[in-house]
Amino acid sequence: MGSNSSSNQGQICIPGQNPRQREVTSVNLLHVKVLRMRNVRKADLLTQSDCYVSLWLPTASAQRFRTKTVKNCSNPVWNETFCYRIDSRVKNILELKVCDEDRFSKDDELCVIFFDVAKLQAGQKVCMKFLLNPQEQEELEVEFTLQNVLDYPENIITNGVLVSREVSCLEVNGQEKKRKQQSTKEELTLTVKGSHEGTQNISLDADSSLRNSIVFHCVKYIQTKLDITVPKKMRYCGQISTKEESLPLNSLPLQKKITIGKGKRFDLHVKAKEWPKDLDVRLGFDLCTEEQEFLCKRKKYVAAALKKVLQLEEDLQEHEVPVVAITTTGGGTRSLAAMYGSLLGIQKLNLLDTVSYITGLSGTTWTMANLYEDANWSHNYLEEAINKARKQVSKCKIHGFSMDRLKYYYNELKERCQQGHNTTFVDLWGLMVEYMLHDEKDYHKLSCQRQALSEGQNPLPIYTAINLKNTYSAQDFKEWLEFTPYEVGFWKYGAFIRSEDFGSEFFMGRLIKKLPESRICYLEGIWSSIFSWDVMYFWNVAFDSEDFWHRWTRDHVKEIEEDPVLYTKLHETETRMLTPAGPLATAFRDVLTGRPTIAECPNFLRGFQMHNEYLENEQFSTWKDTVLDTLSNQLTETAEHPLSLADTGFFINTSYPPLLIPQRKVDIILHLNYSGCSQTLPLDLIARYSSKQGIPFPRIELSEEDRCNLKECYLFEDAECPRAPIVLFFPLVNDTFQKYKAPGVERSPTEMEEGKVDVSSPCSPYSTRELSFTEENFDKLVKMTDYNILNNENLIVEALRIAVERRKQQVPIYYKGAFNK
């Protein structure tokens, strides 16, 4: 939808900086002339392909264009031209899809070419030959012309990775004209491709005193149209003889009412208007203001605790206070119980106040959510919380399937649907988790945990999940998503929303539909969703390899040659060709990656486009680890669909990533491992992942003897890389606890039985599948993890001392806040 104002000043806004004027050359007209193709491959063995080319440039048009079909020809000629208005500040990737038209089945996709429009120079005409298969001399010939437009560009907001563009609001009012016969009360189906709403129905009721109205939100400067589908009863009556009518929106004037259907049985009034709403998604790679203020308050607790533990003579200066964090692994009820014991041991050593962050996944999120219901939990003796947990863990879970409970589940899910939330089986699982951990309905919400952080009195909790993409395994595509009481967001994109807005609907960074905040039990269902597995997960556990997946089921993407060769800048992508997997491979892939159920939540990235130089952004590149990350259309296409969230354990059973963000400057990580299989595998995987991504992390060196007979604690430090955190690794092992009931206190012969805690054998009572423990087994596990912390006090204190010395050697960095107030 165009603008009727000539004073529209094109600006680019970067969060944290003042808007600056952009030059007018960022707006261009792109003419794409599809010329011909040579030696087209056959889609089948019997005939030549009935070939056509489909064009898709989602940053400029919501419509897919296509050439005519040339029948039964290996060298088709089209000479058809298509035009786009583009903004060079966004990543414009033109997709040219070569297809074989089939009359009685779905058209075959022969290949897809991804061409970065940024390679073109304004004012030049370039005839490109894409060499699809040099051996068979298969090539596609396309002519590109890029022209400057003497117009001011639109205002955009960007963080260097995502781009938010101007949005228009399209109001549509409709009413059937009064007739002698009874009103039909029919509905028109209206569609605006690329809008947030997509397709809506509008009721036509001549008897209504108020006209029915609907609203579409769409990108202001993008080619799209309003499609109107007329119901059958209204066709062939009066002057209506077509099924559909269309109204182009790219040239629709603002604030002017347009009437469609004059002289027909209905009036449809359309008016476009500006929607200059501020962003509700925070774009940026800094810690949010609330977290920065929390850290300033927390440092006072940390500094006081360190002075006491390290027996320092002088107070620590602000820049000398290290950031200590706890990371955990999942493991269902086992990890819930074990984490209570670990935290109890840390509390007994007076070290809880030295910790600034606690991250969790799967079962440890249950422990964290329970603790943070108490706004002062770390300063209250944890025995009371452990007693409550023992009662819940040991109770019979079969009552969770009683008729009364099933009725409760039904009513809760029904109410959730009425609120507007999309419900899945994961929501039911969340209600079952609620029953396992509470006797009554839990009204607690994530944002409520801010009370436990108001004075910096407790560490900041961070919960993790991964966003997946259908038809891809977790190893092949995943994005870390973190939840704090302040925000939910992706560090990969630098996009965050308030925690109370998670589950609401967004478009282009604006809040479109506010839904009530979910109770935390529904989030616990997401964080610990054991139902999101796929066959590939078990394949990777068994073979630790994706070669089979990549070789036989994945779409093949490769760089192809161009003639002429265009100059490529660092931020521009090479031209690639995707060859879809065959029908058999696609079906096999669906079997391998199909998940019984997955949590689906509205995607708050919806509508955003990628910045032209996003691949060169250091923040994005740190977390870029899949082939899709270099295909911007696939990333923005993902944003069109709901977030598909799963337990982080389906990729790496650890909650490290939030602590590896450089903005958090974490110095020490206490890795509390509660996994049920290999104790070292989560640590090895995150070390391997960090190395691949260029994230500072200490080298993990364990001898074969240690791997076979793990001790209670290991310290890993990289003295040559001060940016790498110190890692204290606590595997879930029963070592000296068998002979000692407390550090230095041996067991008597009658107490030896208490030291027998089986945490590793196949017959262990602490299996991940076990949802209930006996009180005796619960206490044994808590006491063992408590002991393992206490017995390694010296290593923890040594790590703290090293971290303080490191900080003292660094240049002071002063933060906004009131550390010394």
Side-chain angles (χ1 to χ4, degrees):
M1 284 167 279
S3 172
N4 57 1
S5 172
S6 61
S7 62
N8 181 26
Q9 298 297 309
Q11 294 181 332
I12 177 171
C13 299
I14 302 176
Q17 298 183 11
N18 293 325
R20 55 188 175 90
Q21 189 70 32
R22 291 288 290 188
E23 30 185 81
V24 297
T25 54
S26 66
V27 181
N28 305 108
L29 281 182
L30 172 66
H31 296 271
V32 183
K33 187 175 183 180
V34 183
L35 299 176
R36 63 181 60 84
M37 197 166 177
R38 295 184 176 91
N39 303 311
V40 179
R41 69 194 70 178
K42 292 183 179 180
D44 54 66
L45 298 176
L46 300 178
T47 62
Q48 295 289 345
S49 296
D50 300 328
C51 199
Y52 68 89
V53 178
S54 169
L55 296 87
W56 173 231
L57 185 56
T59 51
S61 175
Q63 305 172 60
R64 294 179 185 266
F65 300 108
R66 55 164 289 179
T67 65
K68 63 179 180 290
T69 300
V70 178
K71 299 284 187 179
N72 196 25
C73 181
S74 61
N75 297 289
V77 177
W78 293 284
N79 289 325
E80 295 185 46
T81 302
F82 305 89
C83 183
Y84 299 94
R85 181 186 189 274
I86 65 171
D87 191 318
S88 61
R89 296 170 294 180
V90 300
K91 179 60 76 175
N92 297 292
I93 300 293
L94 175 65
E95 294 186 24
L96 299 163
K97 184 183 296 182
V98 181
C99 301
D100 173 46
E101 187 174 79
D102 289 327
R103 173 180 285 186
F104 302 108
S105 62
K106 183 180 178 181
D107 293 351
D108 296 314
E109 297 180 5
L110 303 182
C111 64
V112 184
I113 300 166
F114 301 93
F115 178 73
D116 190 346
V117 176
K119 292 182 178 183
L120 302 173
Q121 299 294 319
Q124 293 184 355
K125 180 183 294 185
V126 180
C127 184
M128 298 289 302
K129 293 181 181 179
F130 299 105
L131 308 180
L132 309 182
N133 187 343
Q135 290 77 18
E136 301 296 333
Q137 297 184 334
E138 181 185 36
E139 62 183 31
L140 174 65
E141 192 172 337
V142 182
E143 183 181 272
F144 297 98
T145 305
L146 192 66
Q147 297 175 332
N148 287 335
V149 177
L150 297 179
D151 190 11
Y152 287 104
E154 63 184 298
N155 296 314
I156 67 171
I157 300 175
T158 182
N159 61 0
V161 174
L162 294 178
V163 173
S164 173
R165 301 180 64 177
E166 291 186 47
V167 175
S168 287
C169 180
L170 183 70
E171 293 181 347
V172 184
N173 296 277
Q175 188 176 36
E176 185 181 16
K177 293 182 178 179
K178 291 185 177 181
R179 300 174 63 86
K180 294 181 180 180
Q181 63 266 35
Q182 186 178 1
S183 174
T184 58
K185 297 185 179 180
E186 291 288 349
E187 289 186 339
L188 297 179
T189 300
L190 308 182
T191 301
V192 178
K193 291 183 179 179
S195 68
H196 170 261
E197 292 76 12
T199 298
Q200 299 185 80
N201 292 331
I202 186 170
S203 176
L204 301 176
D205 187 355
D207 299 328
S208 175
S209 58
L210 295 176
R211 289 178 175 172
N212 296 296
S213 63
I214 56 177
V215 172
F216 291 95
H217 296 91
C218 49
V219 183
K220 183 176 179 181
Y221 295 100
I222 198 169
Q223 290 174 269
T224 188
K225 59 183 180 178
L226 172 65
D227 291 323
I228 307 165
T229 303
V230 181
K232 290 183 179 180
K233 290 184 180 180
M234 297 183 68
R235 293 181 215 159
Y236 308 107
C237 299
Q239 299 179 17
I240 305 176
S241 59
T242 59
K243 178 183 177 181
E244 294 186 356
E245 295 189 11
S246 295
L247 174 67
L249 300 180
N250 56 303
S251 59
L252 196 65
L254 295 174
Q255 302 297 344
K256 184 176 180 180
K257 185 185 295 184
I258 303 295
T259 302
I260 307 173
K262 288 184 177 179
K264 301 181 181 180
R265 288 181 53 187
F266 64 89
D267 283 337
L268 208 60
H269 305 284
V270 180
K271 183 171 73 172
K273 64 179 184 178
E274 296 273 12
W275 201 55
K277 192 175 185 296
D278 293 336
L279 292 193
D280 299 295
V281 174
R282 182 176 71 87
L283 292 182
F285 292 96
D286 293 327
L287 301 177
C288 68
T289 302
E290 294 84 353
E291 185 171 341
Q292 293 183 41
E293 292 175 350
F294 161 80
L295 288 174
C296 286
K297 296 175 182 178
R298 185 62 182 169
K299 280 190 176 184
K300 293 187 290 185
Y301 286 90
V302 175
L306 286 173
K307 182 179 181 181
K308 183 177 181 180
V309 169
L310 300 180
Q311 299 179 354
L312 303 176
E313 294 182 358
E314 298 180 354
D315 293 340
L316 291 173
Q317 298 299 308
E318 182 176 4
H319 73 278
E320 298 174 341
V321 180
V323 177
V324 182
I326 292 174
T327 188
T328 60
T329 60
T333 308
R334 177 185 62 250
S335 59
L336 173 143
M339 188 177 183
Y340 274 113
S342 299
L343 292 177
L344 178 62
I346 295 172
Q347 185 183 61
K348 289 178 180 178
L349 296 177
N350 297 315
L351 293 175
L352 260 183
D353 274 348
T354 69
V355 179
S356 296
Y357 292 103
I358 298 180
T359 63
L361 75 157
S362 195
T364 57
T365 64
W366 304 346
T367 304
M368 294 164 61
N370 281 350
L371 289 174
Y372 280 87
E373 291 184 12
D374 179 358
N376 204 40
W377 71 266
S378 65
H379 293 268
N380 296 328
Y381 192 44
L382 284 176
E383 283 288 358
E384 182 179 349
I386 291 173
N387 291 336
K388 292 180 180 179
R390 181 193 301 110
K391 176 185 174 183
Q392 300 301 326
V393 168
S394 60
K395 74 181 181 183
C396 179
K397 303 301 187 294
I398 194 65
H399 297 299
F401 299 95
S402 66
M403 288 302 299
D404 287 342
R405 199 68 195 178
L406 292 176
K407 184 178 180 181
Y408 169 78
Y409 297 155
Y410 173 80
N411 290 333
E412 288 298 309
L413 294 177
K414 181 179 179 181
E415 179 182 354
R416 186 166 173 78
C417 282
Q418 292 172 345
Q419 291 175 345
H421 290 283
N422 179 34
T423 58
T424 66
F425 183 78
V426 175
D427 295 293
L428 175 59
W429 166 242
L431 292 173
M432 296 172 68
V433 171
E434 178 190 47
Y435 170 76
M436 291 191 297
L437 304 178
H438 299 84
D439 290 327
E440 299 177 347
K441 183 175 180 177
D442 181 18
Y443 291 94
H444 191 62
K445 299 175 182 177
L446 182 58
S447 62
C448 298
Q449 296 184 8
R450 293 173 186 166
Q451 298 176 10
L453 309 171
S454 58
E455 301 300 325
Q457 68 269 38
N458 299 298
L460 175 68
I462 305 177
Y463 308 86
T464 59
I466 53 173
N467 180 41
L468 303 176
K469 185 175 173 67
N470 290 335
T471 73
Y472 286 87
S473 70
Q475 273 68 23
D476 212 43
F477 180 85
K478 69 280 174 185
E479 297 171 334
W480 304 100
L481 181 65
E482 72 171 36
F483 298 74
T484 77
Y486 301 127
E487 289 187 325
V488 178
F490 291 100
W491 279 99
K492 173 178 175 178
Y493 300 102
F496 305 86
I497 58 173
R498 298 183 305 167
S499 58
E500 57 264 42
D501 290 336
F502 180 73
S504 296
E505 296 181 15
F506 290 78
F507 181 71
M508 200 59 83
R510 283 86 168 178
L511 183 60
I512 298 291
K513 183 179 181 182
K514 170 66 176 171
L515 299 182
E517 182 181 1
S518 298
R519 295 191 292 119
I520 202 165
C521 68
Y522 293 113
L523 299 182
E524 289 175 305
I526 295 172
W527 301 330
S528 62
S529 176
I530 60 175
F531 307 101
S532 300
W533 56 265
D534 57 16
V535 176
M536 280 303 301
Y537 169 73
F538 295 104
W539 179 276
N540 291 320
V541 170
F543 299 100
D544 191 28
S545 171
E546 285 232 326
D547 291 343
F548 174 81
W549 159 263
H550 290 161
R551 183 176 302 177
W552 297 108
T553 66
R554 184 177 174 183
D555 295 336
H556 296 283
V557 179
K558 68 175 184 179
E559 295 180 4
I560 61 173
E561 298 180 16
E562 303 169 340
D563 182 19
V565 177
L566 299 179
Y567 175 71
T568 303
K569 299 177 183 178
L570 287 176
H571 64 269
E572 295 165 3
T573 60
E574 297 291 343
T575 300
R576 291 179 169 86
M577 180 180 70
L578 179 147
T579 304
L584 182 60
T586 301
F588 195 36
R589 180 173 61 192
D590 292 341
V591 172
L592 291 176
T593 61
R595 298 178 176 89
T597 185
I598 197 164
E600 293 187 348
C601 308
N603 195 339
F604 56 88
L605 299 184
R606 185 171 183 184
F608 280 121
Q609 296 176 4
M610 306 302 293
H611 190 273
N612 186 41
E613 300 180 12
Y614 80 98
L615 286 172
E616 291 304 302
N617 188 291
E618 182 181 358
Q619 305 288 348
F620 178 86
S621 298
T622 298
W623 304 101
K624 174 177 70 68
D625 61 350
T626 73
V627 67
L628 290 187
D629 290 326
T630 60
L631 302 175
S632 61
N633 292 354
Q634 270 58 31
L635 290 179
T636 54
E637 180 217 16
T638 303
E640 294 294 319
H641 297 87
L643 295 176
S644 298
L645 302 180
D647 190 323
T648 307
F650 287 105
F651 174 50
I652 298 178
N653 186 20
T654 181
S655 53
Y656 266 100
L659 305 178
L660 302 179
I661 303 299
Q663 291 84 338
R664 291 197 166 116
K665 301 179 175 64
V666 175
D667 298 279
I668 301 176
I669 299 176
L670 276 65
H671 176 163
L672 307 179
N673 198 82
Y674 308 129
S675 58
C677 50
S678 169
Q679 291 296 305
T680 59
L681 181 61
L683 183 61
D684 291 335
L685 290 176
I686 197 64
R688 189 188 312 167
Y689 180 83
S690 299
S691 176
K692 180 181 177 182
Q693 303 307 115
I695 300 171
F697 200 82
R699 294 180 61 185
I700 305 302
E701 296 179 343
L702 285 170
S703 66
E704 287 302 320
E705 181 180 352
D706 272 338
R707 288 183 180 273
C708 294
N709 299 287
L710 286 168
K711 299 181 178 63
E712 299 153 348
C713 182
Y714 295 87
L715 188 152
F716 300 104
E717 177 197 6
D718 191 342
E720 298 179 357
C721 182
R723 292 177 58 200
I726 300 168
V727 172
L728 282 164
F729 175 53
F730 288 87
L732 186 64
V733 295
N734 187 4
D735 187 18
T736 60
F737 182 70
Q738 299 177 68
K739 297 181 179 180
Y740 295 85
K741 63 180 179 181
V745 182
E746 293 190 19
R747 296 184 183 277
S748 65
T750 59
E751 296 172 326
M752 295 301 291
E753 187 65 27
E754 297 178 6
K756 295 180 180 179
V757 185
D758 177 11
V759 292
S760 57
S761 78
C763 300
S764 170
Y766 305 108
S767 168
T768 306
R769 65 177 178 271
E770 296 292 338
L771 298 178
S772 296
F773 297 162
T774 64
E775 291 190 1
E776 180 184 3
N777 285 335
F778 177 88
D779 288 339
K780 281 185 176 182
L781 186 58
V782 170
K783 289 178 180 178
M784 187 192 77
T785 50
D786 170 32
Y787 168 87
N788 286 353
I789 296 291
L790 297 176
N791 198 44
N792 291 278
E793 178 182 9
N794 292 339
L795 268 182
I796 301 174
V797 173
E798 178 186 349
L800 292 171
R801 196 178 303 278
I802 294 172
V804 170
E805 290 302 318
R806 278 189 182 183
R807 282 276 181 165
K808 286 185 175 182
Q809 295 172 10
Q810 296 175 4
V811 177
I813 300 175
Y814 296 98
Y815 300 89
K816 294 180 180 179
F819 176 71
N820 292 318
K821 289 185 179 180

